[in-house]
C-alpha cells in the first residue's frame, strides 16, 4: 500500500500538533494564574492608595485648621504687644521672673 507512509506522516504531524496545543494550554493556564495574581495585587494597591488619599485629605484639613488657630493666636499676641497698657506687660515680666525663681528653688 502506497498511502501507508503518507498516513503515518499525517498521524505523526497530528500528534505533534496535539502535543503543541497541550503545551500551549499549560502555558496559557500559567499565564492566566499570573494575570489573576496581578489583578488582585492591582486591586489591593488601588484600595491602599484610596485609603492613604483619604488620610492625606484629613491631615490637610487638620493642618489648615491648626494654621487658622495659630493665625488667631498670633493676631491676639500682636494686639497685646501693640496695646499701650504697660501694666500688663510689667505684670507678665514680674510673673515670669517669679516662675523662674520658684523653678530654681524647686529643682535645687
Amino acid at each position: 500500500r502506497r498511502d501507508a507512509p503518507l498516513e503515518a506522516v499525517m498521524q505523526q504531524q497530528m500528534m505533534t500538533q496535539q502535543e503543541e496545543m497541550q503545551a500551549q494550554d499549560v502555558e496559557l493556564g500559567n499565564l492566566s494564574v499570573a494575570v489573576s495574581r496581578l489583578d488582585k495585587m492591582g486591586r489591593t494597591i488601588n484600595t491602599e492608595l484610596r485609603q492613604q488619599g483619604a488620610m492625606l485629605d484629613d491631615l490637610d484639613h487638620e493642618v489648615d485648621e491648626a494654621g487658622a488657630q495659630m493665625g488667631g493666636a498670633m493676631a491676639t499676641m500682636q494686639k497685646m504687644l501693640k496695646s499701650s497698657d504697660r501694666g500688663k506687660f510689667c505684670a507678665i515680666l514680674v510673673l515670669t521672673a517669679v516662675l523662674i525663681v520658684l523653678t530654681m528653688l524647686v529643682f535645687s
Side-chain angles (χ1 to χ4, degrees):
R1 207 170 159 195
R2 292 183 182 174
D3 292 337
L6 183 59
E7 285 180 24
V9 168
M10 288 178 63
Q11 281 186 344
Q12 181 64 33
Q13 285 180 347
M14 284 180 64
M15 288 182 69
T16 302
Q17 285 178 348
Q18 286 178 348
E19 289 172 359
E20 287 178 7
M21 286 174 43
Q22 287 175 348
Q24 288 174 352
D25 286 345
V26 169
E27 290 300 317
L28 285 175
N30 292 338
L31 184 60
S32 176
V33 168
V35 168
S36 295
R37 190 174 30 227
L38 286 174
D39 176 61
K40 184 177 179 183
M41 286 173 36
R43 290 179 190 275
T44 301
I45 290 170
N46 183 30
T47 301
E48 186 70 26
L49 287 175
R50 287 180 187 268
Q51 290 173 347
Q52 289 180 5
M55 289 170 36
L56 286 173
D57 288 343
D58 291 344
L59 178 64
D60 186 47
H61 180 69
E62 290 176 12
V63 167
D64 287 344
E65 284 181 359
Q69 290 175 352
M70 181 69 88
M74 292 297 288
T76 302
M77 286 180 58
Q78 288 294 331
K79 187 176 177 182
M80 284 181 63
L81 289 174
K82 287 182 180 178
S83 101
S84 61
D85 189 4
R86 300 269 181 218
K88 289 180 188 177
F89 185 69
C90 290
I92 291 172
L93 285 177
V94 168
L95 289 174
T96 302
V98 169
L99 178 65
I100 291 172
V101 169
L102 289 175
T103 303
M104 288 173 43
L105 290 173
V106 169
F107 289 112
S108 61

